[in-house]
Amino acid sequence: MLPPIPALSDYGISPTHGFLPDSLPLTRLPDPYYNKWEAVVANLQALILSRRLRGVIDRLPILSTIGLEHDAEWRRAYSLLSFMAHAYIWGGDSPSDRLPPPISIPFLQISEKLQVPPVATYAALCLWNYKPLFMDEDIDNLENLATLNTFTGSLDESWFYLVSVAIEARGAPIIPLMLTAITAARQNDSATVTRCLRAFAERLTDLTAILQRMHESCDPTVFYHRIRPFLAGSKNMGEAGLPRGVVYEDGSGNENYRQYSGGSNAQSSLIQFFDIVLGVEHRPTGEKQEPGSESDRGRRPSRHNFIQEMRRYMPGGHARFLADVTQVANLREYVEDHTGDSQLCIAYDACLAMLSAFRDKHIAIVTRYIITPSREVRARSRSRSPEVARQRMNLAVASQKKENQGSRSQKGTGGTALIPFLKQARDETGEPAVEEWTRRFMKRQVRTEGRGDFFLGKPHDGAPVDTEDVEVKGLAGSWTMEDDVGGICLY
């Protein structure tokens, strides 16, 4: 007997807003009892700049969570404490490896209630941290969105979060659409499956267009040096000043160091949902597809540890939804059983092509916002100027410190193959393609403009950008571009 198609309401997922909450996030907790939390976050930038944040938080009373009633209030409290916690850890000249009871005690309780780790997750930064400027306009319009909280008070930081919010909102209708397609496949309704796949492909094009707008109001230099350090977690942060992680002081006297990954778009349930319903399977980075495995449906590849790990950072209902959808996903098999239906196959391949294009754009953004600024940091660090020596110890300078020490890839710092991971994920997106021409098209090598130009030299002159050995700190760990490092995170 086939398992039932998941009902969105059972997982706290909105049929109109998707993984965004069905009701808009609260702009303030209604109970005045929590005014101190609201006041700290409202003045976060000034408290960080004046070096007063830690003292203020240390003197806060330990507030009970008993006054939090509705889900929206619990989510608001979680977001507030996420910002307070990361500002406390990363807002000084050196990181703090302890969170005091005024943060840690309620943070642990709220996280348990919402089934998310006590860290600034994608949910805290994006899903539960926005408001529309005009209530009668759509929330998938970037011009109608604003953030509730930021670390820096900059437009760049707001825009960075809001691009993800707009993508979640624009992609929300895909969720019920593809559940309809799964139901239709069970009923052998090829026309409905084809219609749903066509609509999916068109909506994916919209998501890529939104992602391409990142550069409009988020400067790579501002992101790399000012915003990104606050997004770091406590896992693999030895070079950034947290070799053991962070202690959450709960008054028990038995506190241990905890390690969590920081906020990352990899924690978006929407993108994982796309892969699941299309039958895209990801292998550990560096693991190749075996010849002939395309048609061997009974043999599943190794599961990608990082992708599974990121589900721990999603709200509990969202992670359970992805697990249950995995049990009913049937579109890849249905298309492979109906290769004579050209319209169905073209629609399915179009979805894969559009998802691959989305990942291409993501690679370009990672290069612009992480890889390129990291090279600039390395170039400046060689000067050993007094300005460099006086920099704070945080995520933004950890790679520079490593470079000055003459180390390229020390073990135990969370070395991760960023670009190889992203490129392999993109390439794996095209593997289920039905038509041979589609597979050839998505395996093509995109030629970089000017590569091999007379004035730039031949391709083999110097290390190509794709394979140059560059180690930089990512949002939640140490990224490295070495092809022989397995997985986006080393566990």
Side-chain angles (χ1 to χ4, degrees):
M1 186 174 181
L2 294 174
I5 305 297
L8 298 181
S9 58
D10 294 341
Y11 306 90
I13 300 171
S14 168
T16 54
H17 294 164
F19 296 106
L20 296 171
D22 198 27
S23 57
L24 292 173
L26 294 176
T27 58
R28 189 177 184 88
L29 289 172
D31 192 336
Y33 176 73
Y34 299 106
N35 281 353
K36 287 184 171 61
W37 288 356
E38 294 284 357
V40 169
V41 176
N43 295 281
L44 202 57
Q45 298 85 41
L47 290 170
I48 292 172
L49 291 174
S50 63
R51 307 290 201 276
R52 298 186 61 184
L53 177 69
R54 290 175 180 169
V56 167
I57 289 179
D58 287 337
R59 292 190 296 271
L60 285 178
I62 301 173
L63 301 184
S64 170
T65 59
I66 195 171
L68 302 173
E69 298 180 3
H70 305 294
D71 286 345
E73 296 177 18
W74 286 92
R75 291 192 291 261
R76 172 67 179 169
Y78 175 75
S79 185
L80 288 173
L81 288 166
S82 294
F83 276 90
M84 291 168 63
H86 279 239
Y88 190 98
I89 293 171
W90 298 108
D93 290 330
S94 61
S96 172
D97 67 351
R98 56 173 286 275
L99 279 178
I103 291 180
S104 59
I105 291 178
F107 202 12
L108 290 168
Q109 294 171 356
I110 293 168
S111 298
E112 183 178 4
K113 165 74 174 178
L114 295 174
Q115 300 177 346
V116 283
V119 69
T121 60
Y122 179 82
L125 299 170
C126 299
L127 300 182
W128 304 337
N129 185 38
Y130 74 93
K131 65 179 180 180
L133 298 178
F134 299 98
M135 298 297 293
D136 58 342
E137 295 185 13
D138 294 331
I139 59 172
D140 62 356
N141 176 13
L142 272 167
E143 280 71 29
N144 190 43
L145 290 173
T147 52
L148 299 176
N149 307 309
T150 63
F151 294 103
T152 64
S154 64
L155 172 61
D156 305 76
E157 184 179 354
S158 290
W159 192 259
F160 179 73
Y161 301 150
L162 295 176
V163 167
S164 293
V165 173
I167 287 174
E168 294 282 345
R170 188 71 62 90
I174 296 174
I175 303 172
L177 179 76
M178 298 314 291
L179 294 181
T180 299
I182 291 172
T183 303
R186 286 186 173 186
Q187 300 167 351
N188 198 25
D189 183 354
S190 181
T192 298
V193 175
T194 302
R195 174 180 57 81
C196 291
L197 288 171
R198 285 173 178 168
F200 184 9
E202 292 173 359
R203 187 64 60 134
L204 279 171
T205 304
D206 293 343
L207 303 189
T208 303
I210 294 174
L211 185 60
Q212 289 182 120
R213 298 189 60 190
M214 180 66 75
H215 71 278
E216 289 182 15
S217 296
C218 183
D219 181 83
T221 301
V222 174
F223 170 77
Y224 187 84
H225 292 283
R226 291 188 56 201
I227 301 167
R228 194 175 59 107
F230 288 107
L231 306 181
S234 51
K235 187 173 186 178
N236 300 322
M237 287 290 121
E239 286 297 322
L242 297 178
R244 292 181 291 177
V246 173
V247 172
Y248 287 63
E249 297 180 351
D250 58 10
S252 67
N254 299 316
E255 301 96 342
N256 296 316
Y257 280 93
R258 297 167 177 250
Q259 294 189 4
Y260 298 107
S261 295
S264 169
N265 282 13
Q267 297 161 10
S268 168
S269 302
L270 186 67
I271 306 303
Q272 288 208 27
F273 175 77
F274 294 165
D275 283 334
I276 291 169
V277 295
L278 291 176
V280 176
E281 295 171 334
H282 298 291
R283 297 176 295 277
T285 305
E287 184 175 305
K288 305 293 185 181
Q289 182 183 28
E290 294 186 9
S293 62
E294 291 179 10
S295 59
D296 186 4
R297 296 187 219 163
R299 186 176 180 279
R300 295 290 183 184
S302 304
R303 303 183 88 182
H304 200 296
N305 290 338
F306 174 71
I307 291 173
Q308 297 299 319
E309 172 74 8
M310 287 299 99
R311 293 191 188 180
R312 293 182 52 240
Y313 294 83
M314 299 174 184
H318 298 179
R320 288 192 299 275
F321 173 72
L322 294 180
D324 290 347
V325 171
T326 301
Q327 300 303 312
V328 301
N330 59 3
L331 296 181
R332 177 175 179 177
E333 289 78 7
Y334 183 79
V335 173
E336 289 176 343
D337 286 338
H338 294 78
T339 54
D341 188 335
S342 61
Q343 295 301 311
L344 172 67
C345 293
I346 291 172
Y348 177 75
D349 283 359
C351 292
L352 297 177
M354 293 303 100
L355 185 55
S356 179
F358 181 86
R359 288 191 156 118
D360 271 331
K361 181 51 60 177
H362 184 213
I363 291 171
I365 288 176
V366 167
T367 300
R368 182 174 186 180
Y369 283 80
I370 296 179
I371 304 302
T372 301
S374 76
R375 293 193 178 109
E376 295 171 356
V377 168
R378 292 174 65 197
R380 288 198 302 271
S381 70
R382 295 189 182 102
S383 70
R384 300 181 181 272
S385 65
E387 290 77 15
V388 170
R390 286 196 296 267
Q391 290 187 72
R392 294 183 182 186
M393 184 55 188
N394 61 24
L395 186 61
V397 299
S399 297
Q400 176 182 318
K401 175 186 173 184
K402 244 177 145 180
E403 193 70 28
N404 290 340
Q405 291 173 341
S407 172
R408 296 175 66 188
S409 183
Q410 297 178 5
K411 296 296 183 181
T413 61
T416 57
L418 174 56
I419 294 299
F421 165 77
L422 295 175
K423 288 187 175 182
Q424 180 173 317
R426 176 202 58 198
D427 295 341
E428 289 165 342
T429 301
E431 287 176 1
V434 178
E435 301 290 346
E436 177 61 29
W437 69 266
T438 308
R439 287 196 292 271
R440 290 201 309 269
F441 175 77
M442 285 192 282
K443 287 180 180 178
R444 74 198 189 284
Q445 297 295 319
V446 180
R447 189 175 176 84
T448 304
E449 185 176 354
R451 183 72 61 85
D453 184 90
F454 174 79
F455 296 101
L456 296 179
K458 296 180 180 179
H460 62 267
D461 290 348
V465 172
D466 293 350
T467 59
E468 183 180 352
D469 179 12
V470 176
E471 183 172 348
V472 294
K473 289 287 182 177
L475 297 186
S478 173
W479 306 93
T480 179
M481 293 175 65
E482 294 178 346
D483 288 319
D484 58 348
V485 178
I488 193 166
C489 283
L490 291 181
Y491 296 110

